[in-house]
Amino acid sequence: MAEQNALAEHFERTIERDQRIEPRDWMPDAYRKTVLRQVAQHAHSEIIGMQPEGAWITRAPSLRRKAILLAKVQDEAGHGLYLYAAAETLGGDRMELTERLIAGAQKYSSIFNYPTLTFADVGVIGWLVDGAAICNQVPLCRSSYGPYARAMIRICKEESFHQRQGYELLMTMMRGTDAQREMVQDAVNRWWWPSLMMFGPPDAESTHTAQSMAWKIKRHTNDELRQRFVDMTVPQAEALGVTLPDPDLRWNPERGHYDFGEVDWDEFRRVISGDGPCNAERIAVRRAAHEEGAWVREAAAAHAAKRARRAKEAA
Ligand SMILES: [Fe+2]
Ligand SMILES: [Fe+2]
């Protein structure tokens, strides 16, 4: 009992001093579960997030655009892998996590359940979706769980490349024909509100925020991050020459922030609980990839076992 108290006190003090909790450290079960849930959802989002843009790789308009898009989508696969590895340090099993994802038992970001209708969507995803991801993820570089925080440092560097490639693509299209400019505006109209939903429900309705903030797993609330994203994005939209589809969007000099309209939270709840435009397709594609990859996993495991046996025989 005394030993247990000492461990709990050490945990609390580590958090208080802004130091990191490492895999070998004692941590409360609820902390482990909360970080694991967040890291797993984040990993799933990276992997599912490959689909909407991946769909455009074969239809990219030039070799240069194809190379950029390929690199970007591969980065997202890498992000998923770092994060599954971080989940494993908490006792999560990657196979089990994948199975929970394809069974619909674990969530991923609602944003990836919207379709990509034109190539402008690739640019808008880079600008808005990766932009929102950066707002969410930069503070996570200081998350109290060490492996998660370290994974985020590397991921954030790549996310800023993603955002810039998106913005550069949109800039190019905006300098093009009227049809291209219309395509960009249409994509902005469709992605703006779902991007604001990426920060999660309003603080008053967010079930996990308070405890995650106390444990410094999260460093800012959903509404704070959403506001930061809006403030950052409005001047970028002006520079680009597109209109954000919100008649209530205006600078509020008293608050020193942009005011903006109400997000359609019914839509958010529908999409996050499985009833968005592409949820079924995303899960079906992920399930097929998992099943078709079974032989690769089996072959790799058999090869590793053979090498281990040979090494043992040689020794
Ligand atoms: Fe990513
Ligand atoms: Fe990204």
Side-chain angles (χ1 to χ4, degrees), residues 102 159 207 224 266 301 310-311:
I102 59 184
E159 294 301 356
T207 38
E224 283 166 14
D266 287 336
R310 279 190 194 142

Side-chain angles (χ1 to χ4, degrees), residues 25 101 104 119 121 124 130 168 192 194 196 207 218 265 270 308:
D25 294 340
L101 168 68
F119 199 71
D121 290 42
V124 171
D130 289 278
E168 188 266 346
W192 173 248
L196 294 188
T207 38
K218 268 175 89 156
W265 292 114
R270 251 192 339 265

Side-chain angles (χ1 to χ4, degrees), residues 120-147:
D121 290 42
V122 169
V124 171
I125 289 178
W127 175 39
L128 297 180
V129 176
D130 289 278
I134 292 170
C135 278
N136 261 329
Q137 292 174 1
V138 165
L140 293 176
C141 298
R142 296 187 299 123
S143 166
S144 61
Y145 188 59

Side-chain angles (χ1 to χ4, degrees), residues 46 76 79 130 155 159 162:
E46 300 284 355
E76 306 299 5
H79 298 173
D130 289 278
I155 289 175
E159 294 301 356
H162 296 172

Side-chain angles (χ1 to χ4, degrees), residues 31-257:
Y31 175 90
R32 181 185 298 276
K33 260 187 151 153
T34 303
V35 181
L36 182 56
R37 183 183 38 93
Q38 187 176 333
V39 174
Q41 279 182 15
H42 192 162
H44 297 331
S45 302
E46 300 284 355
I47 297 297
I48 295 284
M50 295 167 73
Q51 290 184 37
E53 289 175 286
W56 280 93
I57 291 172
T58 56
R59 292 174 289 168
S62 68
L63 181 60
R64 177 170 174 265
R65 292 293 169 196
K66 192 191 287 258
I68 295 170
L69 185 54
L70 252 179
K72 198 252 180 188
V73 172
Q74 279 181 339
D75 280 354
E76 306 299 5
H79 298 173
L81 296 184
Y82 309 153
L83 289 164
Y84 283 125
E88 286 184 331
T89 68
L90 290 160
D93 177 79
R94 196 166 129 197
M95 183 72 94
E96 218 176 279
L97 294 175
T98 299
E99 274 157 11
R100 298 190 64 187
L101 168 68
I102 59 184
Q106 254 175 356
K107 291 190 165 67
Y108 56 90
S109 177
S110 57
I111 193 77
F112 301 119
N113 293 310
Y114 292 86
T116 39
L117 303 183
T118 71
F119 199 71
D121 290 42
V122 169
V124 171
I125 289 178
W127 175 39
L128 297 180
V129 176
D130 289 278
I134 292 170
C135 278
N136 261 329
Q137 292 174 1
V138 165
L140 293 176
C141 298
R142 296 187 299 123
S143 166
S144 61
Y145 188 59
Y148 190 33
R150 288 188 290 273
M152 291 322 303
I153 291 170
R154 187 156 164 191
I155 289 175
C156 282
K157 285 183 187 155
E158 295 177 345
E159 294 301 356
S160 63
F161 153 66
H162 296 172
Q163 197 200 17
R164 269 178 261 170
Q165 68 81 33
Y167 199 72
E168 188 266 346
L169 167 57
L170 296 178
M171 274 291 188
T172 306
M173 290 186 79
M174 291 303 284
R175 283 194 299 262
T177 63
D178 283 345
Q180 285 176 304
R181 274 186 288 276
E182 275 162 33
M183 218 185 259
V184 173
Q185 183 60 57
D186 172 65
V188 170
N189 294 346
R190 286 181 288 106
W191 289 94
W192 173 248
W193 291 104
S195 300
L196 294 188
M197 295 175 195
M198 285 176 70
F199 299 93
D203 293 347
E205 290 168 36
S206 173
T207 38
H208 304 295
T209 296
Q211 181 56 267
S212 290
M213 296 272 291
W215 277 331
K216 299 184 184 172
I217 299 167
K218 268 175 89 156
R219 311 297 304 232
H220 304 283
T221 71
N222 297 352
D223 287 333
E224 283 166 14
L225 292 166
R226 194 168 6 251
Q227 181 71 61
R228 185 178 291 187
F229 174 69
V230 171
D231 291 347
M232 181 181 98
T233 308
V234 173
Q236 294 171 353
E238 284 165 6
L240 200 55
V242 295
T243 308
L244 297 173
D246 178 358
D248 297 324
L249 188 68
R250 66 180 59 85
W251 178 250
N252 181 331
E254 273 143 56
R255 291 201 310 124
H257 292 290

